[in-house]
Amino acid sequence: MDSTKIEQRITFEALAPYFKQIREWAAFTILVPLSVTLVMWDQVDRAVLLSWFVLMLAGIGALYLVASGYHRNDVSPENAHPWHLRLLILQGYMGFLWAIAVFLMHDLESPPHRLFIITLALALGIGSISAGAHWLALYYSYGIPVKGALAAKFVLLADVAWLALAIMVALAILASYGFARKLNSIVRSEIRLRLETADLAEQLKEQSRELQNAIRTKSRTLATASHDFRQPLHALSLFVDALKGADSRREEKRIFSRIDASLDAMRRMFDALFDLSRLDANIVQPEPEDFDIETFLIQLKEEFQDKAEQRHLSLRLHTQPAVVRTDQVLLERVLRNLITNAIRYTDRGGILLSARPRQNSVLVQIWDTGIGIPQEAHQRIFIEFQQAHESPHEDERDKGLGFGLAIVHKLCSLMGLPLDLRSVDGRGSVFSLSIPAGDPARMKQSSGKAMEIEWQDSGHHILVIDNDKNVLHAMDTLLNKWGFRVTSVTSPTEALRLLPDQPDLVLSDLSLDGTHNGIKAIQMIRERYGPELPGMIITGTTNPRQLQEVENSGLRMIQKPVRPSLLRSFIQRQLATPTGVD
C-alpha cells in the first residue's frame, strides 16, 4: 500500500468516531447558540440575532444530516473523501458564523455581556482542539476563525490594554495550534500502529493459509508422484522377470524395448521434477535477447514434423518475419511443451503454429484439433500432476506426466509473458503467448555453422566420486565401455590418495559422506591439479538451497537419473572445453 493510501486510511479511521459524535451531540450543540441568543436578546438587534440563530440551526442540521448519511452509507477509505470535504465545509461555515458573532457582539455597553462573548470565543477555540485531534483541517476551519475574530476585534479597539489582550489571544492561537498538531500526531500515530498491527496479523494469517495450502499441495503432489513413479517401476520389475524366461531373441528384443520405455518414463518424471525445483528455487533467470520469431518457429516445425506425420497429423506454420525480445531458450522449452501436448492429444486433423505482429508485441499461438480441455479444468491443468484427460496412447513414451503445463505456466510467469488458453472440450485448443516486440538492430548475427566438437574418448582419464558403490560400479562399467580410463572413489580424500595421475574430468555426486559435498570435492581436486580442471556435479536432489549452491559454484549440473546418451554428450563438451565450462 502506498503512502497516500495509508494516510487516507488513517484519516478515515480518525474521523469515523467524530461523525458519530456529531450525531450523538447534535441536540446539545443547539444549546450553545440558543444560550447566546437568550443572553444577547436585549443587547443586540433581534432581527440580526434571530437570523444568526437560524443560520446556526441550519448549519447544525446540515452537520447532523451529513453524519447520518455517513453512517447510513457504506463509506470506506476509498470513497470517504467527499464526506470529509462536506464536513470540512460545514465546520468552516460554523466557524465563520461564530466569528461574526464574536466580532459583532463585542461592542456592548454591558461588561458582563462583553465578558460572556470573550469567554465563549476562547472556550470555542479551545474546544476545537479536540476536532483538530481527529483532523487538523477541522481546527483550521473552526477554531482559528473564532479566536482570530476576537484578536482582530481587540486590535481595532486601539487601546493598549486591548492590544495586549490581542497579543495574548494570538499567543493562545499559536499555543493551541501547536497543541492541536501534537494531539493530532499522537492520534494518527496510534491509528497507524493499530493498522500496521492489523495488517501484520492479516499477512501472518495469509502466510499461514498459503503455508497450509502449500503443505496440502506438496502432500498431494508427493502422493500422486509416489503412485506415478511406482507405475513404471512396477512395470520394470515385471519386464525384468519376464526377460529371465524369454525363449527367443525376438522376445528379448521386445521386452528390452518395453524396459527402455519404462526407464524413459521415469527419467522424464525426474527431469520434470528437477525443472520445477529449479524454477521454485529461482535458479532459472531469463536472459532476454532479440531474435526473428519466423526462423525460430520454422526450426521447431522441422523438429516436430516427423512426429506429427507418424500420428498422421498435419503440422502447419503461418508466420512472417518479426523480431521479438525474450529468453530464446526458455521460450523454446515453453513451445516444445505446448507442441508436444498438441500432438499427444490430437487424434485427427492437425496443429497450426502461428505468429502475428501486434502494435508492440507478437502473438504466438499453437492451435490443435484435439480432444480439447473442459472449462472447469482450465486452471487445474497448470498444477503439477493435473491432467484434463488421460493420454490416448499406450506407449509410455507418449503418455503425459502432468508436469508440462505446470512448467509452461511457471516459465511464462518468469519471463513475464501473458499466457492465454481457449478450448472447447472435444473440439480443440489454442494456447496464446504475447511476446514483446524486439529491435532488429540488436539481433545477433548467426554464422549458420554449428560448433563441431571433436569426439573425446580413448586415453582420457575420468575421476568419479560417489558414496553409493552400486552407482560407482555402474559408472565404471559404462565409462570403460566408452573407452575412458576411470578412477572410482567414494570421497575426495580417497581420490587424492589413489589418483595415479591428473584426471581430465571429475564427475562427482553432490551428496557425499562426511562434511564434504561434490562442490567441495571438486575444489579439493583442483587445489592439487589446478583450477582449469573440468568438473561436473551429478545429483538427485531437488532441495532449492543445494541447487542454488551448485548454480553459484559455476559447475555444470546433471540431474539423476541421467540418460547415458546425455551423459556422454556432456562429457564430450566438458573435455572439448579447456575450462570445463560450456
Side-chain angles (χ1 to χ4, degrees):
M1 187 181 295
D2 59 48
S3 58
T4 302
K5 289 186 177 180
I6 291 174
E7 293 303 318
Q8 286 178 350
R9 190 174 171 187
I10 292 173
T11 302
F12 171 79
E13 294 289 339
L15 285 175
Y18 189 72
F19 278 99
K20 184 179 180 182
Q21 289 177 15
I22 291 174
R23 293 179 64 202
E24 294 175 349
W25 289 78
F28 177 79
T29 306
I30 296 174
L31 294 178
V32 181
L34 178 61
S35 65
V36 172
T37 302
L38 293 176
V39 169
M40 298 296 175
W41 186 255
D42 294 326
Q43 302 294 319
V44 180
D45 184 275
R46 292 177 179 175
V48 174
L49 191 61
L50 285 174
S51 298
W52 176 84
F53 181 63
V54 170
L55 292 174
M56 288 295 294
L57 289 180
I60 294 170
L63 278 170
Y64 179 81
L65 292 175
V66 168
S68 298
Y70 180 90
H71 287 280
R72 191 168 53 251
N73 289 278
D74 187 19
V75 180
S76 65
E78 289 73 27
N79 60 11
H81 181 69
W83 295 95
H84 296 168
L85 190 59
R86 292 176 195 130
L87 173 64
L88 183 62
I89 292 171
L90 288 173
Q91 284 287 94
Y93 169 80
M94 298 294 288
F96 176 72
L97 288 179
W98 278 117
I100 290 176
V102 169
F103 199 85
L104 295 180
M105 296 180 190
H106 186 266
D107 292 332
L108 302 175
E109 296 295 332
S110 170
H113 289 87
R114 179 176 286 184
L115 182 62
F116 172 79
I117 289 297
I118 293 173
T119 304
L120 179 66
L122 293 174
L124 290 173
I126 293 171
S128 66
I129 293 175
S130 64
H134 293 276
W135 191 20
L136 207 54
L138 296 179
Y139 174 74
Y140 298 150
S141 64
Y142 188 85
I144 290 181
V146 174
K147 286 191 284 189
L150 183 62
K153 189 64 181 179
F154 287 165
V155 170
L156 292 176
L157 291 176
D159 186 85
V160 174
W162 292 117
L163 287 174
L165 282 175
I167 293 172
M168 293 179 67
V169 171
L171 292 174
I173 292 174
L174 292 175
S176 299
Y177 168 74
F179 186 65
R181 279 183 63 88
K182 184 68 175 176
L183 197 58
N184 177 264
S185 176
I186 292 172
V187 170
R188 294 182 73 85
S189 296
E190 186 275 330
I191 293 173
R192 181 179 285 104
L193 180 61
R194 175 162 51 84
L195 292 177
E196 288 175 351
T197 303
D199 284 344
L200 286 173
E202 185 59 35
Q203 289 175 20
L204 185 60
K205 281 173 149 182
E206 182 62 29
Q207 289 176 358
S208 178
R209 282 193 294 267
E210 290 177 358
L211 179 60
Q212 291 173 2
N213 289 335
I215 291 172
R216 283 194 292 267
T217 302
K218 185 66 70 176
S219 298
R220 185 171 61 248
T221 299
L222 289 174
T224 308
S226 176
H227 170 269
D228 287 357
F229 281 130
R230 281 199 300 267
Q231 292 296 91
L233 188 60
H234 174 64
L236 188 61
S237 65
L238 295 178
F239 286 133
V240 170
D241 205 66
L243 184 62
K244 296 175 183 177
D247 53 8
S248 67
R249 295 290 296 176
R250 182 177 180 182
E251 180 67 8
E252 287 180 356
K253 187 175 180 180
R254 186 187 70 82
I255 294 174
F256 271 122
S257 175
R258 303 307 298 171
I259 288 175
D260 188 54
S262 297
L263 287 172
D264 186 64
M266 291 185 67
R267 289 192 194 101
R268 287 189 293 121
M269 287 184 190
F270 279 115
D271 288 345
L273 277 176
F274 181 59
D275 286 343
L276 288 171
S277 298
R278 285 170 57 84
L279 289 170
D280 290 338
N282 294 320
I283 291 176
V284 180
Q285 294 299 324
E287 298 180 3
E289 58 180 303
D290 299 83
F291 59 94
D292 180 30
I293 193 66
E294 182 183 43
T295 304
F296 180 79
L297 291 178
I298 289 174
Q299 292 173 350
L300 276 178
K301 177 181 179 295
E302 291 175 351
E303 178 183 339
F304 284 93
Q305 190 69 55
D306 288 344
K307 192 168 185 178
E309 290 175 356
Q310 289 171 11
R311 303 282 182 212
H312 305 291
L313 301 172
S314 66
L315 179 59
R316 295 180 295 121
L317 176 63
H318 179 74
T319 183
Q320 54 185 292
V323 177
V324 297
R325 180 169 179 79
T326 189
D327 189 302
Q328 188 169 354
V329 174
L330 298 185
L331 178 64
E332 183 177 348
R333 290 175 65 184
V334 167
L335 295 182
R336 280 177 186 274
N337 271 308
L338 293 177
I339 297 170
T340 298
N341 271 1
I343 294 174
R344 177 178 293 132
Y345 293 102
T346 301
D347 289 328
R348 58 181 178 273
I351 294 92
L352 171 66
L353 313 180
S354 71
R356 289 178 289 171
R358 297 293 178 86
Q359 186 174 3
N360 295 310
S361 63
V362 175
L363 182 66
V364 175
Q365 295 179 307
I366 293 89
W367 302 72
D368 68 64
T369 58
I371 57 179
I373 302 169
Q375 182 66 37
E376 62 272 13
H378 280 198
Q379 298 297 323
R380 177 168 53 84
I381 59 172
F382 294 108
I383 302 173
E384 294 92 336
F385 289 107
Q386 299 294 318
Q387 293 175 294
H389 298 287
E390 288 293 329
S391 174
H393 306 294
E394 295 183 0
D395 193 330
E396 290 287 344
R397 295 182 179 88
D398 293 320
K399 287 190 175 182
L401 304 175
F403 287 110
L405 290 180
I407 293 173
V408 164
H409 184 263
K410 288 178 182 289
L411 287 175
C412 287
S413 298
L414 183 66
M415 292 186 287
L417 303 182
L419 175 64
D420 179 65
L421 164 64
R422 285 179 290 134
S423 182
V424 178
D425 195 19
R427 297 183 59 184
S429 307
V430 55
F431 287 86
S432 303
L433 285 170
S434 183
I435 307 175
D439 182 0
R442 288 199 303 250
M443 285 178 58
K444 294 179 182 178
Q445 298 299 323
S446 173
S447 64
K449 295 180 180 179
M451 183 180 68
E452 295 182 1
I453 299 177
E454 183 182 353
W455 196 250
Q456 309 284 334
D457 46 36
S458 300
H460 282 88
H461 180 196
I462 297 180
L463 171 63
V464 180
I465 308 174
D466 200 303
N467 59 348
D468 189 317
K469 291 190 176 181
N470 288 327
V471 174
L472 277 181
H473 294 154
M475 289 288 286
D476 189 278
T477 302
L478 185 63
L479 293 175
N480 273 296
K481 181 183 175 182
W482 289 342
F484 295 108
R485 288 192 301 121
V486 184
T487 299
S488 302
V489 295
T490 58
S491 70
T493 306
E494 184 183 4
L496 293 172
R497 189 176 72 252
L498 297 181
L499 275 172
D501 51 34
Q502 176 177 339
D504 298 301
L505 173 65
V506 182
L507 302 179
S508 178
D509 185 26
L510 179 62
S511 302
L512 301 175
D513 293 334
T515 59
H516 299 135
N517 62 15
I519 301 171
K520 180 61 177 175
I522 293 175
Q523 288 174 351
M524 291 174 65
I525 306 301
R526 283 177 170 177
E527 285 174 5
R528 172 181 287 186
Y529 295 109
E532 302 300 315
L533 176 63
M536 283 198 298
I537 295 293
I538 303 178
T539 180
T541 187
T542 57
N543 183 292
R545 183 187 61 79
Q546 291 179 320
L547 294 176
Q548 187 63 59
E549 186 180 1
V550 178
E551 184 74 14
N552 294 340
S553 73
L555 293 168
R556 162 67 71 178
M557 177 168 53
I558 308 176
Q559 184 71 10
K560 295 179 181 178
V562 60
R563 292 189 303 275
S565 59
L566 182 61
L567 175 62
R568 190 169 187 177
S569 174
F570 279 134
I571 289 174
Q572 297 305 318
R573 287 181 176 274
Q574 292 292 304
L575 292 175
T577 307
T579 60
V581 180
D582 61 356

